[in-house]
Amino acid sequence: MFQLGVYNKALTRKAITGLRYKSTSQPLTWIEYFKLKKQSNRINMVSGIFTGLGGALITLNYLGNIEIDPEKPIMGFDPLMVMGGVVGLGAFVGYLAGPTIGTIAFKLINKSKLQQFELKNSEFLTRLIKNRPDPSYQSFSNPIPDYYGEKIYSLKDYGQWLRDCNAFRRKAKEFL
């Protein structure tokens, strides 16, 4: 029984070191992380535009195939206005579905770097949480700078964000 436990420890240690030596990829740098973050955002935006157009076209195609009396109001509104609103609603729902498709596409494109990207992303978000100022001190004349860090796409942007956060803290302390 004791021998089996020693064997399992040796086996797991060997398996872990084997995995460590098999991974030949370099760790993801911050510059590469920010490039991937920008790529992810762009893919999500473009897919949102295409799915929004697709949603509008599908809704327009459906509404074009049903028979509506143009002289009879729908819930008290002009039928053409209602149809335009429904096409706009279809485009909006399609746009909301876009980032889901974009995320799937991003994961397929960057399959080899995805695990490292997720680790860097969690580290980045931890840094944001640690360095962001308290939003309860914001006012109309002193808005909080980019609370979620959505506009940070480079080390330069991150440094500027840190400076903006420090300026916010300083203004909040001086004027309260």
Side-chain angles (χ1 to χ4, degrees):
M1 178 101 76
F2 182 74
Q3 292 293 337
L4 184 61
V6 171
Y7 178 73
N8 282 340
K9 284 183 182 177
L11 181 63
T12 43
R13 213 177 291 135
K14 185 178 180 181
I16 290 171
T17 56
L19 286 174
R20 188 175 356 147
Y21 290 122
K22 286 182 183 176
S23 66
T24 58
S25 63
Q26 296 292 326
L28 198 65
T29 64
W30 284 107
I31 296 170
E32 292 170 343
Y33 164 73
F34 285 123
K35 284 181 184 176
L36 287 174
K37 184 180 175 202
K38 184 181 265 188
Q39 180 188 21
S40 171
N41 188 27
R42 286 185 178 166
I43 288 173
N44 286 343
M45 184 178 58
V46 168
S47 66
I49 291 169
F50 282 124
T51 56
L53 289 173
L57 291 175
I58 289 171
T59 307
L60 190 60
N61 187 26
Y62 174 74
L63 290 177
N65 290 329
I66 61 173
E67 189 174 324
I68 295 177
D69 185 13
E71 294 179 5
K72 198 174 194 182
I74 300 174
M75 296 188 316
F77 293 104
D78 183 35
L80 293 176
M81 297 295 282
V82 172
M83 284 191 180
V86 171
V87 170
L89 184 65
F92 180 69
V93 170
Y95 179 76
L96 290 179
T100 303
I101 295 169
T103 302
I104 293 169
F106 175 75
K107 287 180 179 181
L108 288 175
I109 291 170
N110 298 303
K111 200 179 274 188
S112 62
K113 299 177 186 176
L114 189 61
Q115 187 176 11
Q116 293 176 357
F117 176 76
E118 294 295 331
L119 287 172
K120 257 323 179 197
N121 196 30
S122 65
E123 185 179 344
F124 176 70
L125 293 176
T126 304
R127 287 173 185 249
L128 279 183
I129 291 169
K130 185 179 92 174
N131 293 317
R132 77 170 58 133
D134 186 12
S136 63
Y137 295 119
Q138 74 177 345
S139 65
F140 186 71
S141 62
N142 189 21
I144 190 162
D146 194 14
Y147 188 75
Y148 296 106
E150 296 169 335
K151 298 174 186 171
I152 300 173
Y153 292 116
S154 67
L155 291 173
K156 181 181 175 186
D157 293 342
Y158 181 67
Q160 184 62 46
W161 180 81
L162 287 173
R163 287 188 291 277
D164 291 345
C165 288
N166 287 332
F168 175 84
R169 283 188 196 97
R170 188 174 39 341
K171 287 179 187 176
K173 207 181 279 185
E174 288 174 4
F175 295 114
L176 286 181

